[in-house]
Amino acid sequence: MPKTKSKGISPKTRWAIKGYVNQGYSANKIQKNLTKQGLGIQRKKLLAEVRKIKGLKPKADRQKYIPKKYRRRVSPPARKPVYSGKHIAVYKNATTRRHPKPYSARFEFYGRGKDLAKAIRLALSGIVPRCEDPFVECSARAFLNDPYRFGEKGEWVDRPNIESCPHSRSI
Amino acid sequence: MTDLISKAAPILGLSDRETVMLDLDEMNFKSARYWAMLVLEKYRLKGFIILKSSKNHYHAVFDRYVSREENLNIVAWVAILSKNISLLRYLAMQCIKMSSTLRVAPKGDKPSPRIVYRFGCQDHAIKDFLEFRQLIKRIHSSMQ
């Protein structure tokens, strides 16, 4: 039950209603008594005040009892936040013209599903993080707007097979 | 549409800072489940799922969201106790990037990890993980 005070009810009226409710009067009787005392009150406000004093919860799903044309416009349910803390990681070894030696590279994208799909597609088409900054974390939208801010042209490659030298065994 | 996913294409994974994720390599299913259960009890993580990445390679994801520091603490605890070198390497990468990543899409000949075991509550971090995993899988399949 909301704790806000009902608007337009004088303290005297409120006090009278509380007394009547505690005595177990019905809403009709309370309203008649109030009118006799010159404390007339709108029925809607009286009922709200009575419910508040009795501590009754409002009936669930009240909107369905109201004709559609009188219903209060309700905003659509809030969308899930775009950035939920989870990222899509796109990672492997990469080479560029400036750095022909493969290095470990990774993009971490966050954002909406469509943007993520487009960003990954763009990354797969041959944009890799720079060797100087191989771990890039950015929003998918920002990457789509300016991919060369976060990476450069290059290739995703497999990890090179490095065979350890038999003489260089650790002791 | 051209097939963007070739053998040399990069791997797609899910990265998060506040979900406890373990990369349990080189251990069988029973050991993976043992360590997951131990972590669950010690850190009260509500529930977990185990995904099979390949033979003797498992991933574990836990249900309770934790802080970044607690996440590192948990992974370090398992890595030290289990004496698993791969998990120590995973921890080192987590320390560098400050987030942990698990593979979602196929990698070379390996298929994408599949759920093999569920335990306890699945309503929080696991639910979000599976939703995001689904998104990545959809993106991946749209590129083929």
Side-chain angles (χ1 to χ4, degrees), chain A residues 80 85-92 106 108 113 116-117 120-121 124 135 137 156 158, chain B residues 4 7-17 65 97 101 128 131-132 136 142-143:
Chain A
K80 273 193 168 182
K86 287 184 172 52
H87 299 184
I88 292 186
V90 181
Y91 56 99
K92 212 172 194 180
R106 164 189 296 259
E108 281 195 9
L116 286 170
I120 292 169
R121 196 177 280 273
L124 293 188
F135 295 161
E137 186 182 330
W156 296 97
D158 283 323
Chain B
L4 287 165
K7 279 218 164 183
I11 304 152
L12 300 186
L14 191 156
S15 184
D16 193 9
R17 291 174 179 183
Y65 279 112
K97 296 187 281 103
T101 306
D128 296 343
E131 275 179 14
F132 212 74
I136 297 175
S142 74
M143 286 173 189

Side-chain angles (χ1 to χ4, degrees), chain A residues 66-139:
Chain A
I66 303 168
K68 276 183 186 167
K69 60 181 178 182
Y70 297 125
R71 281 184 198 172
R72 201 188 300 159
R73 285 197 171 178
V74 182
S75 56
R79 291 186 69 165
K80 273 193 168 182
V82 171
Y83 172 57
S84 62
K86 287 184 172 52
H87 299 184
I88 292 186
V90 181
Y91 56 99
K92 212 172 194 180
N93 284 19
T95 56
T96 59
R97 192 178 287 177
R98 290 190 300 127
H99 293 272
K101 195 180 166 189
Y103 58 92
S104 177
R106 164 189 296 259
F107 278 123
E108 281 195 9
F109 297 123
Y110 54 88
R112 286 188 191 172
K114 278 185 183 175
D115 293 339
L116 286 170
K118 283 179 191 170
I120 292 169
R121 196 177 280 273
L122 190 60
L124 293 188
S125 68
I127 293 179
V128 298
R130 289 190 187 89
C131 186
E132 300 83 42
D133 185 17
F135 295 161
V136 179
E137 186 182 330
C138 62
S139 89

Side-chain angles (χ1 to χ4, degrees), chain B residues 28-135:
Chain B
N28 58 21
F29 172 71
K30 279 191 178 176
S31 308
R33 193 178 58 180
Y34 168 79
W35 285 111
M37 203 67 92
L38 213 64
V39 173
L40 177 91
E41 282 171 11
K42 182 166 167 59
Y43 292 94
R44 297 178 185 174
L45 297 174
K46 291 184 179 173
F48 66 86
I49 54 171
I50 296 180
L51 301 108
K52 186 175 181 177
S53 166
S54 61
K55 198 188 173 190
N56 284 345
H57 290 73
Y58 294 91
H59 298 163
V61 181
F62 294 86
D63 194 48
R64 184 166 70 85
Y65 279 112
V66 295
S67 65
R68 209 185 307 173
E69 292 78 18
E70 197 182 356
N71 199 353
L72 284 178
N73 180 352
I74 294 167
V75 179
W77 186 79
V78 185
I80 296 291
L81 276 195
S82 65
K83 295 171 187 167
N84 189 324
I85 302 295
S86 316
L87 195 55
L88 279 169
R89 213 175 290 156
Y90 180 74
L91 171 69
M93 277 309 286
Q94 194 178 351
C95 291
I96 293 168
K97 296 187 281 103
M98 294 311 288
S99 66
S100 38
T101 306
L102 287 182
R103 181 170 68 85
V104 171
K107 171 188 174 184
D109 299 331
K110 292 182 188 176
S112 57
R114 62 185 190 280
I115 300 168
V116 288
Y117 190 76
R118 287 174 182 265
F119 182 85
C121 180
Q122 320 265 300
D123 299 340
H124 307 100
I126 292 178
K127 190 183 165 200
D128 296 343
F129 172 86
L130 292 177
E131 275 179 14
F132 212 74
R133 176 174 171 264
Q134 206 58 44
L135 171 74

